[in-house]
Amino acid sequence: MTSIPSKRPASGAIGSDDDDFDQPTRKREDNRNKTALDDQLILLPILASCGSTDDATYVVENSLKALRVRRLEEYDQLVYIPPMAKANLQAKDNNLFPLMAKVQEFLNSDRHVMLILGDSGAGKSTFNRHLEHHLWTNYDKDDAIPLFINLPAIDRPDQDMITKQLQVHGFSDDQILEMKIHCQFILICDGYDESQLTANLHQTNRLNQRGQWRAKMIISCRTQFLGPVYVERFVPQPTDRYAKVRSDFFQEAIIVPFSKEQVEDYVARYVPLEPRPWVTDDYMQMLTTIPNLMDLVKNPFLLTLTLEALPGVTKGQQKLSNISISRVQLYDHFVNEWLGVNMRRLRDSTLTDGDREMLEHMIEKGFIFLGVDYSKRLALAIFEKHDGNPVVHYLHYDHKHTWRAEFFGPELEVRLLRESSPLTRTGSLFRFIHRSMLEYFFSRTVFDPTTYRDGEEFDPQSNFGSSDVQPLDPNGP
């Protein structure tokens, strides 16, 4: 049984009097919260008009049972590898912990918000869906209610997002009022970056304030989306602007790349799912033979792409000893898929009118072509102007008049391309997701057989058997 907070909070639980941010603010809070408490007294007769309180609770519990069954049936993750994480972006990679265990620790603590960060394709959404499935599997009527919220699918999630999500699930207004008074929630908020949000959702939704929703929030975001100062977007804020911010109500975790053992585990589970030309050992042999490939596929998204692409780029040769393959062939496929996925992500995201118009112009021109061109130019600049140092530091007021602004400045087209490219970000530091990806794009500036005609998308190299395509040197571009 998963241990999660009770629906009726005891002293010290979220939403109780002991949750005030500090003692001096309590008197000021009392007047401000009197209205919210009066609102609850007004709501009680509304609920009573539907029958007794017990009847209303019974109806809600039945609806929750139906939601639980539906959400469990909708879970379709065929392969799940528990991710490892570290405490923050600055933490060393030698001090890792299982992410699920850390989330469980958070749920059993007095904290209110947990931020989960990770690169594109790191597995944030996969983990969030598995977490919801885990919580519903172990759910008991006295537990907090797990509620998965796809933030880009909610209109203005900064305003009463719990009510909006419950309405999506078909709960009536009366049921929602009943739950607001009596229930606690575990909010699993997915895709903060895809909603293009800057608001502190805990603050704007007035979570854990008197008379409001009582909830713990787990929220995920891509590292590429956040700048060096991001914590204030997620740390619970006091209702009194002069009160001390309770940073102890907040924690974060950063999903790290797969280990070699996790890659092997994923391949062993993934390959048997459908008929394939190779067995697990064949795939592992190729992953370990091609230089630097094992490091790159520690990103779950790229690992999946690799498993699908490897047989195709061998031109049907069955004997692995006869196969000659270069990283360039696979990276062409990676880049095409990566940019295509991010183009669709942007198209489905909540964008401003200006962002949407610019995106449509870029799609019309050829989004993948523009993305490849952006990464090629960046790779060339790193070798020509940055002495090949793969890590680029960019702070706008310090570097807005340098070459770096062309790739990391605030201009709209630059921002859309940067957030869609295979880059990772740690505060104000940017780099390609792997050194070999930097080398790949640099090699494309020297030798690029790709043809492009105005108005068409970028076509990956198709002549896989060509003797002109040489493997990249693992020690240099």
Side-chain angles (χ1 to χ4, degrees):
M1 172 67 68
T2 301
S3 175
I4 48 182
S6 169
K7 286 182 179 179
R8 290 177 173 78
S11 177
I14 54 177
S16 69
D17 289 346
D18 290 343
D19 268 344
D20 287 350
F21 288 106
D22 53 26
Q23 186 66 32
T25 66
R26 289 187 179 179
K27 290 183 180 180
R28 292 191 292 268
E29 295 267 353
D30 288 341
N31 291 333
R32 192 177 290 111
N33 290 318
K34 183 177 182 298
T35 301
L37 294 173
D38 290 342
D39 288 345
Q40 284 198 8
L41 295 177
I42 295 173
L43 297 179
L44 291 175
I46 298 176
L47 295 174
S49 66
C50 302
S52 68
T53 302
D54 290 341
D55 290 340
T57 302
Y58 177 77
V59 172
V60 168
E61 289 179 353
N62 281 342
S63 296
L64 286 173
K65 289 179 181 178
L67 176 61
R68 175 178 181 268
V69 170
R70 186 165 68 251
R71 294 302 292 170
L72 290 175
E73 289 178 345
E74 291 173 350
Y75 181 75
D76 61 354
Q77 189 66 37
L78 297 177
V79 179
Y80 174 75
I81 304 298
M84 300 294 288
K86 59 183 182 179
N88 52 58
L89 290 170
Q90 291 71 40
K92 302 295 184 181
D93 289 339
N94 58 1
N95 188 16
L96 305 180
F97 47 79
L99 181 56
M100 182 63 79
K102 188 61 66 173
V103 169
Q104 184 64 65
E105 178 185 306
F106 163 76
L107 294 176
N108 292 328
S109 73
D110 293 329
R111 296 184 177 95
H112 293 181
V113 176
M114 182 171 184
L115 172 65
I116 297 177
L117 292 174
D119 292 337
S120 293
K124 300 179 297 298
S125 295
T126 299
F127 174 80
N128 286 340
R129 289 191 293 268
H130 183 80
L131 173 62
E132 183 205 17
H133 182 264
H134 172 76
L135 293 174
W136 275 126
T137 299
N138 296 281
Y139 177 77
D140 182 82
K141 67 177 181 179
D142 292 326
D143 290 338
I145 301 167
L147 190 64
F148 183 94
I149 302 177
N150 180 18
L151 293 174
I154 297 293
D155 180 37
R156 295 295 305 273
D158 56 324
Q159 297 179 5
D160 206 8
M161 65 179 174
I162 299 179
T163 294
K164 293 173 181 176
Q165 185 62 48
L166 291 173
Q167 289 172 340
V168 170
H169 289 312
F171 287 88
S172 68
D173 291 343
D174 290 340
Q175 290 173 322
I176 293 173
L177 293 177
E178 166 76 7
M179 286 187 283
K180 187 172 186 177
I181 293 174
H182 295 294
C183 299
Q184 291 187 8
F185 287 81
I186 297 173
L187 307 180
I188 306 171
C189 300
D190 192 58
Y192 182 88
D193 51 289
E194 293 180 30
S195 293
Q196 302 294 309
L197 289 167
T198 57
N200 185 318
L201 296 183
H202 186 278
Q203 180 183 23
T204 60
N205 282 273
R206 303 176 67 190
L207 300 181
N208 304 318
Q209 297 181 25
R210 293 179 183 176
Q212 301 300 320
W213 294 100
R214 297 189 299 276
K216 285 178 175 287
M217 176 189 289
I218 298 164
I219 185 167
S220 66
C221 182
R222 288 183 304 128
T223 53
Q224 293 96 324
F225 182 73
L226 299 176
V229 182
Y230 64 86
V231 173
E232 64 182 16
R233 296 194 196 183
F234 305 99
V235 172
Q237 303 291 321
T239 54
D240 190 312
R241 70 179 62 182
Y242 299 106
K244 181 181 178 181
V245 174
R246 288 291 298 271
S247 57
D248 57 326
F249 281 175
F250 169 80
Q251 75 178 90
E252 60 183 314
I254 317 301
I255 295 179
V256 300
F258 276 170
S259 65
K260 182 179 179 181
E261 292 73 23
Q262 287 176 305
V263 171
E264 293 175 347
D265 191 11
Y266 187 94
V267 174
R269 298 181 187 212
Y270 186 85
V271 171
L273 291 178
E274 58 184 68
R276 301 183 190 278
W278 296 349
V279 297
T280 299
D281 289 344
D282 297 334
Y283 284 95
M284 289 306 304
Q285 179 180 339
M286 295 302 295
L287 292 178
T288 55
T289 299
I290 301 174
N292 295 115
L293 186 57
M294 179 59 77
D295 287 336
L296 190 68
V297 299
K298 290 178 179 179
N299 177 294
F301 173 64
L302 290 179
L303 174 57
T304 303
L305 289 182
T306 302
L307 297 179
E308 293 297 326
L310 273 173
V313 299
T314 63
K315 299 194 62 87
Q317 300 180 58
Q318 296 302 311
K319 293 184 179 181
L320 296 181
S321 59
N322 295 333
I323 294 174
S324 176
I325 187 173
S326 75
R327 281 187 289 151
V328 173
Q329 296 167 295
L330 279 175
Y331 284 26
D332 285 340
H333 180 75
F334 290 165
V335 170
N336 195 49
E337 291 294 327
W338 183 286
L339 289 169
V341 167
N342 279 278
M343 178 185 70
R344 293 189 291 273
R345 174 186 59 79
L346 285 171
R347 197 166 51 197
D348 296 337
S349 296
T350 303
L351 300 175
T352 65
D353 291 342
D355 286 10
R356 179 73 58 189
E357 183 179 5
M358 173 60 72
L359 177 62
E360 292 304 321
H361 289 318
M362 295 169 71
I363 292 175
E364 181 180 2
K365 175 65 176 177
F367 188 89
I368 296 177
F369 166 77
L370 293 173
V372 170
D373 179 68
Y374 169 89
S375 292
K376 286 168 54 180
R377 289 186 289 108
L378 174 58
L380 182 62
I382 286 175
F383 281 104
E384 287 187 343
K385 302 179 181 180
H386 205 46
D387 296 326
N389 185 346
V391 181
V392 181
H393 182 219
Y394 183 81
L395 287 174
H396 184 62
Y397 283 99
D398 292 343
H399 304 118
K400 61 183 178 181
H401 298 304
T402 70
W403 65 269
R404 309 174 195 212
E406 179 183 352
F407 305 100
F408 306 109
E411 289 77 11
L412 179 53
E413 182 177 355
V414 171
R415 176 169 59 82
L416 292 177
L417 289 173
R418 180 178 68 245
E419 292 182 2
S420 302
S421 298
L423 301 171
T424 183
R425 178 179 187 175
T426 304
S428 57
L429 302 178
F430 298 83
R431 71 182 78 191
F432 283 97
I433 59 174
H434 191 263
R435 170 82 183 192
S436 62
M437 190 67 75
L438 166 63
E439 296 166 354
Y440 161 77
F441 281 114
F442 180 72
S443 72
R444 290 285 301 272
T445 68
V446 179
F447 168 75
D448 190 351
T450 300
T451 58
Y452 172 76
R453 293 182 297 275
D454 190 42
E456 293 185 0
E457 282 287 0
F458 158 77
D459 291 322
Q461 297 175 28
S462 58
N463 188 13
F464 290 143
S466 173
S467 58
D468 293 332
V469 181
Q470 300 297 323
L472 293 176
D473 180 352
N475 297 317

